[in-house]
Short mmCIF file of all heavy atoms in Angstrom, two decimals:
data_model
loop_
_atom_site.label_atom_id
_atom_site.label_comp_id
_atom_site.label_asym_id
_atom_site.label_seq_id
_atom_site.Cartn_x
_atom_site.Cartn_y
_atom_site.Cartn_z
N LEU A 406 -80.00 183.39 63.15
CA LEU A 406 -81.25 184.17 63.12
C LEU A 406 -80.99 185.65 63.38
O LEU A 406 -81.67 186.52 62.81
CB LEU A 406 -82.23 183.63 64.16
CG LEU A 406 -82.69 182.18 64.00
CD1 LEU A 406 -83.61 181.80 65.14
CD2 LEU A 406 -83.37 181.97 62.67
N SER A 407 -80.00 185.93 64.22
CA SER A 407 -79.65 187.34 64.46
C SER A 407 -78.45 187.78 63.63
O SER A 407 -78.38 188.93 63.19
CB SER A 407 -79.36 187.55 65.95
OG SER A 407 -78.32 186.70 66.40
N ALA A 408 -77.50 186.86 63.37
CA ALA A 408 -76.29 187.23 62.65
C ALA A 408 -76.58 187.68 61.22
O ALA A 408 -75.93 188.59 60.70
CB ALA A 408 -75.30 186.06 62.64
N ILE A 409 -77.54 187.02 60.56
CA ILE A 409 -77.90 187.42 59.19
C ILE A 409 -79.37 187.86 59.14
O ILE A 409 -80.07 187.62 58.16
CB ILE A 409 -77.60 186.29 58.18
CG1 ILE A 409 -78.33 184.99 58.54
CG2 ILE A 409 -76.11 186.06 58.04
CD1 ILE A 409 -78.25 183.93 57.43
N ALA A 410 -79.80 188.53 60.19
CA ALA A 410 -81.20 188.97 60.27
C ALA A 410 -81.58 189.91 59.13
O ALA A 410 -82.68 189.83 58.58
CB ALA A 410 -81.47 189.64 61.62
N TRP A 411 -80.67 190.82 58.74
CA TRP A 411 -80.98 191.76 57.66
C TRP A 411 -81.19 191.03 56.35
O TRP A 411 -82.13 191.30 55.61
CB TRP A 411 -79.86 192.80 57.52
CG TRP A 411 -80.16 193.82 56.47
CD1 TRP A 411 -80.88 194.96 56.60
CD2 TRP A 411 -79.76 193.76 55.09
NE1 TRP A 411 -80.96 195.64 55.40
CE2 TRP A 411 -80.27 194.92 54.45
CE3 TRP A 411 -79.01 192.86 54.33
CZ2 TRP A 411 -80.06 195.18 53.10
CZ3 TRP A 411 -78.80 193.11 52.98
CH2 TRP A 411 -79.32 194.26 52.38
N GLU A 412 -80.33 190.07 56.07
CA GLU A 412 -80.47 189.29 54.84
C GLU A 412 -81.75 188.45 54.85
O GLU A 412 -82.43 188.32 53.83
CB GLU A 412 -79.25 188.39 54.65
CG GLU A 412 -77.95 189.14 54.40
CD GLU A 412 -77.24 189.57 55.67
OE1 GLU A 412 -77.82 189.43 56.78
OE2 GLU A 412 -76.09 190.04 55.56
N ILE A 413 -82.09 187.90 56.01
CA ILE A 413 -83.31 187.11 56.13
C ILE A 413 -84.54 187.99 55.86
O ILE A 413 -85.46 187.58 55.14
CB ILE A 413 -83.40 186.48 57.54
CG1 ILE A 413 -82.30 185.42 57.71
CG2 ILE A 413 -84.78 185.88 57.78
CD1 ILE A 413 -82.13 184.94 59.15
N GLU A 414 -84.54 189.19 56.40
CA GLU A 414 -85.70 190.07 56.26
C GLU A 414 -85.81 190.64 54.84
O GLU A 414 -86.93 190.74 54.30
CB GLU A 414 -85.59 191.24 57.25
CG GLU A 414 -86.76 192.22 57.16
CD GLU A 414 -86.58 193.41 58.08
OE1 GLU A 414 -85.54 193.51 58.74
OE2 GLU A 414 -87.50 194.26 58.12
N ASN A 415 -84.69 190.97 54.24
CA ASN A 415 -84.73 191.72 52.98
C ASN A 415 -84.39 190.91 51.73
O ASN A 415 -84.74 191.33 50.62
CB ASN A 415 -83.75 192.90 53.07
CG ASN A 415 -84.16 193.91 54.12
OD1 ASN A 415 -85.07 194.70 53.90
ND2 ASN A 415 -83.50 193.88 55.26
N HIS A 416 -83.74 189.76 51.87
CA HIS A 416 -83.28 189.02 50.69
C HIS A 416 -83.43 187.50 50.89
O HIS A 416 -82.56 186.73 50.51
CB HIS A 416 -81.80 189.35 50.40
CG HIS A 416 -81.58 190.75 49.95
ND1 HIS A 416 -81.73 191.14 48.63
CD2 HIS A 416 -81.22 191.86 50.64
CE1 HIS A 416 -81.46 192.44 48.52
NE2 HIS A 416 -81.16 192.90 49.74
N TRP A 417 -84.55 187.10 51.46
CA TRP A 417 -84.75 185.68 51.77
C TRP A 417 -84.52 184.78 50.57
O TRP A 417 -83.83 183.76 50.66
CB TRP A 417 -86.14 185.48 52.34
CG TRP A 417 -86.48 184.04 52.64
CD1 TRP A 417 -87.35 183.24 51.96
CD2 TRP A 417 -85.94 183.22 53.69
NE1 TRP A 417 -87.40 181.99 52.52
CE2 TRP A 417 -86.53 181.95 53.59
CE3 TRP A 417 -85.00 183.46 54.70
CZ2 TRP A 417 -86.22 180.92 54.46
CZ3 TRP A 417 -84.69 182.42 55.57
CH2 TRP A 417 -85.31 181.17 55.45
N GLU A 418 -85.05 185.13 49.42
CA GLU A 418 -84.94 184.26 48.24
C GLU A 418 -83.53 184.22 47.68
O GLU A 418 -83.20 183.33 46.88
CB GLU A 418 -85.92 184.73 47.15
CG GLU A 418 -87.38 184.55 47.54
CD GLU A 418 -87.74 183.12 47.90
OE1 GLU A 418 -87.20 182.20 47.23
OE2 GLU A 418 -88.51 182.91 48.84
N ASP A 419 -82.69 185.18 48.06
CA ASP A 419 -81.32 185.20 47.58
C ASP A 419 -80.36 184.46 48.51
O ASP A 419 -79.17 184.35 48.20
CB ASP A 419 -80.84 186.65 47.42
CG ASP A 419 -81.57 187.38 46.31
OD1 ASP A 419 -81.92 186.73 45.31
OD2 ASP A 419 -81.81 188.60 46.46
N ILE A 420 -80.86 183.98 49.62
CA ILE A 420 -80.05 183.16 50.53
C ILE A 420 -80.06 181.72 50.01
O ILE A 420 -81.12 181.18 49.70
CB ILE A 420 -80.62 183.21 51.97
CG1 ILE A 420 -80.53 184.65 52.51
CG2 ILE A 420 -79.86 182.26 52.89
CD1 ILE A 420 -81.22 184.83 53.85
N PRO A 421 -78.90 181.07 49.89
CA PRO A 421 -78.88 179.69 49.37
C PRO A 421 -79.73 178.75 50.21
O PRO A 421 -79.90 178.94 51.42
CB PRO A 421 -77.40 179.32 49.45
CG PRO A 421 -76.67 180.62 49.44
CD PRO A 421 -77.56 181.58 50.17
N GLU A 422 -80.25 177.73 49.56
CA GLU A 422 -81.16 176.80 50.21
C GLU A 422 -80.59 176.18 51.49
O GLU A 422 -81.31 176.08 52.49
CB GLU A 422 -81.59 175.70 49.24
CG GLU A 422 -82.60 174.74 49.83
CD GLU A 422 -83.01 173.65 48.85
OE1 GLU A 422 -82.50 173.65 47.71
OE2 GLU A 422 -83.82 172.79 49.25
#
Side-chain angles (χ1 to χ4, degrees):
L406 298 177
S407 57
I409 57 170
W411 182 85
E412 293 86 352
I413 292 169
E414 179 184 3
N415 295 283
H416 292 276
W417 177 251
E418 293 303 322
D419 293 326
I420 297 173
E422 183 180 0

